[in-house]
Amino acid sequence: MGQFRDTLDFRALRFAVAFPLLLALGFVVCAQMLRNELPNPVAVMWNSDGGTSFAPFGAYVAGGAALIVCCGWAAFLQSVPLSRPVIMRRVMMGLGLMVSLFITTVLAAGLVGQSGAADARESHVDPIVLAMGSGAALALGVVMMFAFKPDPRWTHEDDAALQAELQLLEDPDLASDTIRLWVHARSSVFIMIIVSALFPAALIAVAVPWLGALVAAAALVGAGFLFARVRADRGGLQVFAGGIVRVLAVPAVEIAAAAPAEVRAADYGGWGWRHHDDATAMLVSSGPAVVVRKLNGGRVALSAGTLASADKLAGILNRAAHRAQDEGQAQQPG
């Protein structure tokens, strides 16, 4: 029993069970308030050819309440198991609210449209109730998707975060030996790409849509390589083009020294990821950068955004390299 309880979010379960029941109860109470103004029997379906299907008032209300509860539970309960992804649980919680309110809106619009009619054949679904209720159902469902916070569950990411915090407590200097930064080309470069590629692509797409889409996609990929995510710590250096594709990885044990520098992209083959002579570079523009000398004689150059970032990044890489070399010498026998 304890293991079963550990698989469910009981806070979400309570809401998932109670909300449709309370909503159905509210519908029944409001329907009773309109009963004296409704024809007998009431209409339950209006056909396009003018025909109408009928049902006793009690059957309409009971069937409607059952529909609210069953459909609400069917959607809401998908957000209860902890094994489901968090995003799915958020979506299903919002969808459950949306479905429950929409069904209630349709049922209420059917009753309000018949209020005051002597014969149900002369009635119709009230458009104002239907429009306002549907809009509210959609809006509240979206709000619920963002507002619902699933119960926390311990994951592998939490284990990694705990391990990182423990290491930080044991070694306070660890935080200062870690840097993560984004670098990108100047805004004028992206404006140039828009003018020289995306505008022509839009004109080409008028005549040949697939060719215009191909030109636009190539321009976007090229622009993506003018963004880079840099991560450096005691393990070494990693650079991701566009923030996703890893194009550079230099372990700390392979670093001889790192130094900040003002570089010209042309000296390393141009912007983006380049391999030029003995150097590998990921430069999004000319300007502040860090040049890393490797023990095997190679060089690595990467944009650092500002001179301050370049100084900090070079310092971290130098300390990481010295620490890796000291640990390597300590592990050697004799």
Side-chain angles (χ1 to χ4, degrees):
M1 183 63 180
Q3 292 181 349
F4 176 73
R5 291 179 61 87
D6 292 340
T7 63
L8 300 178
D9 182 344
F10 276 84
R11 182 169 59 93
L13 178 61
R14 287 192 294 269
F15 183 84
V17 172
F19 182 80
L21 288 173
L22 294 175
L23 192 60
L25 178 61
F27 168 71
V28 171
V29 171
C30 293
Q32 292 293 334
M33 296 172 64
L34 289 174
R35 183 169 187 175
N36 293 333
E37 301 179 15
L38 297 174
N40 187 24
V42 296
V44 296
M45 186 178 298
W46 293 262
N47 301 325
S48 58
D49 58 359
T52 307
S53 300
F54 303 96
F57 174 81
Y60 184 100
V61 173
L67 192 63
I68 294 170
V69 172
C70 293
C71 292
W73 282 353
F76 272 127
L77 293 177
Q78 303 304 314
S79 66
V80 173
L82 292 173
S83 58
R84 302 281 167 78
V86 172
I87 296 299
M88 177 183 175
R89 295 176 62 199
R90 284 177 175 266
V91 170
M92 295 310 299
M93 181 62 77
L95 188 62
L97 188 72
M98 198 181 305
V99 167
S100 301
L101 292 175
F102 178 73
I103 293 174
T104 307
T105 294
V106 173
L107 294 169
L111 288 181
V112 173
Q114 300 178 63
S115 178
D119 192 328
R121 283 187 290 265
E122 302 173 359
S123 65
H124 60 276
V125 175
D126 189 282
I128 297 177
V129 174
L130 184 62
M132 294 181 63
S134 299
L138 177 62
L140 291 172
V142 173
V143 170
M144 175 60 81
M145 291 181 192
F146 287 97
F148 173 56
K149 298 185 185 306
D151 275 352
R153 186 187 180 204
W154 198 264
T155 63
H156 296 297
E157 290 79 8
D158 297 314
D159 287 330
L162 176 60
Q163 188 64 30
E165 290 296 328
L166 292 176
Q167 291 179 355
L168 185 60
L169 290 175
E170 295 174 357
D171 187 355
D173 295 332
L174 181 61
S176 61
D177 284 344
T178 301
I179 186 173
R180 289 172 174 79
L181 57 91
W182 282 83
V183 293
H184 58 81
R186 296 182 179 89
S187 58
S188 58
V189 175
F190 296 106
I191 294 174
M192 181 183 67
I193 291 175
I194 293 173
V195 173
S196 63
L198 294 185
F199 283 170
L203 296 176
I204 294 171
V206 175
V208 188
W210 69 266
L211 183 59
L214 183 63
V215 173
L220 292 175
V221 170
F225 274 83
L226 297 180
F227 285 87
R229 178 166 59 93
V230 180
R231 184 171 66 192
D233 52 29
R234 294 184 178 183
L237 170 69
Q238 290 182 318
V239 182
F240 299 83
I244 301 173
V245 182
R246 188 173 68 177
V247 294
L248 289 177
V250 186
V253 294
E254 297 181 7
I255 298 175
E262 286 277 348
V263 303
R264 292 194 312 150
D267 295 338
Y268 291 88
W271 296 336
W273 179 54
R274 293 287 188 272
H275 188 75
H276 185 69
D277 296 333
D278 64 338
T280 302
M282 180 60 204
L283 299 172
V284 297
S285 65
S286 299
V290 172
V291 178
V292 180
R293 289 190 297 107
K294 301 172 67 174
L295 293 175
N296 61 7
R299 292 179 300 153
V300 172
L302 63 143
S303 294
T306 64
L307 287 175
S309 298
D311 288 334
K312 184 176 180 179
L313 179 58
I316 289 174
L317 293 176
N318 284 323
R319 290 194 297 273
H322 293 156
R323 185 176 291 105
Q325 293 169 9
D326 293 341
E327 291 176 355
Q329 292 175 357
Q331 293 176 358
Q332 292 179 356

